Each structure stands twice: as structure tokens, then as C-alpha cells.
Amino acid sequence: MPGVERLDGIEGLEGVGSAYAAARDGIDSMLRDRGLRQTSPELTTESLLRGAQASAELAGSASTLSEVKEGRGDDIAQGALRVSVELLGLAPVFSRSPAQALARLHSLAAGGDVSDDERGRPRDAEAATRMRESLGLLGSGRPALMTAALLHADLVCGAPFVGGNGIVARAAERLVLVSSGVDAKALTVPEAGHLALRPAYESNLRAYASGGSPGLRAWLLYAAEAYAAGAEASPLRDR
């Protein structure tokens, strides 16, 4: 898993800069063109519910979108649903104190097999240090989409918490997009993009964890594609 200090110059990796410029242009175009029609809180809620179901499925849930919407999902889906309910309210906390926001996300995401003492707390001192390093990705001056992708992968691979790390990481990715203004109303569904590309998602996370530049480049190129797929999954596309 690459340390934060080894990420200098990643924008210059072959194809990465252009991939993220294209992904951002596509998101901006979709939000602008579709947003010319009035959006509503219901569309944001729908996007977050779709994201919750997709994130839960990536974490091993078998619950359907209908079940999640009705609150009937399994334990994993229930955790993802709790995260979705509070996600936008955590955006100001994330901007001010990202570690506090991650702790709350884990408290929400953790299933019944996680004890109260373990909720919202890194597994140990080493995990706490690794999480602080991951959060050092914020404020780097990189494009927000790239920062979101890097934070997502770093949290999944670093696994700072007991259980629920994938759901926390994907929620943190959303918070970067919201708080940066890339997708302030949370209308794209990046979790659905990852689910649609699940084999590539999982293989490129393994590549990122390997720590080398080829794996890092592969993850970044994959994530740009996933963000485009997440824009296609927006409820705005249904209008």
C-alpha cells in the first residue's frame, strides 16, 4: 500500500490527468444539463439510497434496493442505510474534523458483531496512525475526484476499523465529492459505479495495495471510469 509521501507527481502518470479531466467534465455536464430542470431533496435521497444498497452489496449484503428503501435489509445493508441517512449532515464535520466524521461513519456502519467499545475507534495505535496518514490526502491540492479515489482506496486497504471499512471508505469518497462542490447535492452514485464494475473494482484495489506505481496508476484510471459510471447511475438520468 503506497504511503502518502509516495503519491507525489501521480497527476503525471500516463493517462491519469486526462482521465480525471474527462471524468470531471462528464459529471459537470450531466449535473448542469439535467440540473437545468428543477432538482429536489427526493432526488438526493434516491441517490443516497442507491448508493447505500450498492455499497452494502459490495460489502457482502444480499439485500435488494427495494428492501433497503423499505428498511428490511440485512445487517450490512442496515449499516449502509444508517450511513446514508446521516451522510450529508456529516459534510461540515468532515471538512472541519475528518477523523471525527470517519469515527461517526464507522459507528453507523458497524454491524451487530462489532462491540460498543470498538465502534468509531481504530483497531489499535498502528491503525490510528495509518488512518491519519490516509486523511493527509485531504487538502493536497489535487483534483477532488482524484483525492476521493485515493482516500477511498487508502481506507479500504488500511482497514483502520473493526469491520465496515468498505462502507466507511465509500462514504468518505462521497463526502469528498460533496464537500468539494464536485457533487454538492450528492446526485451521482459512485457506489453504483463501483458495483457495476465490481471485478475491476476489487482487482484494482488489490493493485493499489501492492504499493507500486503500476498498481496506483491502475486504480486511478479505474476510479475515473467508475465515476463516469456513477454519473450514469444518477436518478437525474431517469428524468
Side-chain angles (χ1 to χ4, degrees):
M1 181 164 38
V4 171
E5 70 280 358
R6 297 177 62 185
L7 300 178
D8 291 342
I10 58 171
E11 299 89 338
L13 293 174
E14 184 180 358
V16 168
S18 58
Y20 278 82
R24 179 63 190 268
D25 286 347
I27 290 171
D28 287 348
S29 177
M30 189 274 292
L31 293 176
R32 181 179 61 250
D33 294 345
R34 304 284 174 165
L36 290 175
R37 306 170 190 174
Q38 187 176 4
T39 59
S40 66
E42 288 75 21
L43 285 172
T44 293
T45 298
E46 175 67 21
S47 172
L48 291 169
L49 287 169
R50 292 182 186 185
Q53 188 278 326
S55 190
E57 188 171 339
L58 287 166
S61 171
S63 298
T64 66
L65 179 58
S66 294
E67 289 171 335
V68 170
K69 287 181 176 182
E70 295 169 5
R72 298 189 292 108
D74 56 28
D75 194 38
I76 297 171
Q78 291 288 337
L81 180 59
R82 290 192 295 269
V83 166
S84 74
V85 169
E86 289 199 24
L87 190 70
L88 292 187
L90 284 172
V93 180
F94 184 74
S95 296
R96 180 178 67 251
S97 178
Q100 181 182 347
L102 291 188
R104 179 58 181 164
L105 288 172
H106 182 254
S107 294
L108 295 165
D113 58 340
V114 177
S115 71
D116 289 344
D117 289 344
E118 293 171 324
R119 290 176 183 271
R121 298 181 180 180
R123 290 178 287 105
D124 50 35
E126 183 179 353
T129 298
R130 184 70 187 85
M131 187 177 76
R132 287 194 295 271
E133 291 175 352
S134 296
L135 291 174
L137 291 161
L138 301 171
S140 65
R142 295 187 184 95
L145 282 175
M146 191 178 296
T147 297
L150 291 169
L151 181 61
H152 176 169
D154 227 51
L155 289 173
V156 170
C157 296
F161 301 109
V162 174
N165 287 288
I167 290 175
V168 169
R170 289 182 288 274
E173 177 179 62
R174 273 258 200 183
L175 284 172
V176 173
L177 301 183
V178 169
S179 61
S180 67
V182 169
D183 184 15
K185 294 183 179 180
L187 292 168
T188 66
V189 193
E191 304 93 338
H194 296 307
L195 182 60
L197 302 170
R198 186 170 191 169
Y201 173 67
E202 294 173 347
S203 67
N204 282 295
L205 277 174
R206 291 192 294 271
Y208 181 92
S210 71
S213 290
L216 176 59
R217 176 176 176 270
W219 166 257
L220 287 172
L221 291 176
Y222 155 78
E225 183 181 357
Y227 291 140
E232 289 295 322
S234 171
L236 281 173
R237 293 290 191 188
D238 300 341
R239 303 176 68 194

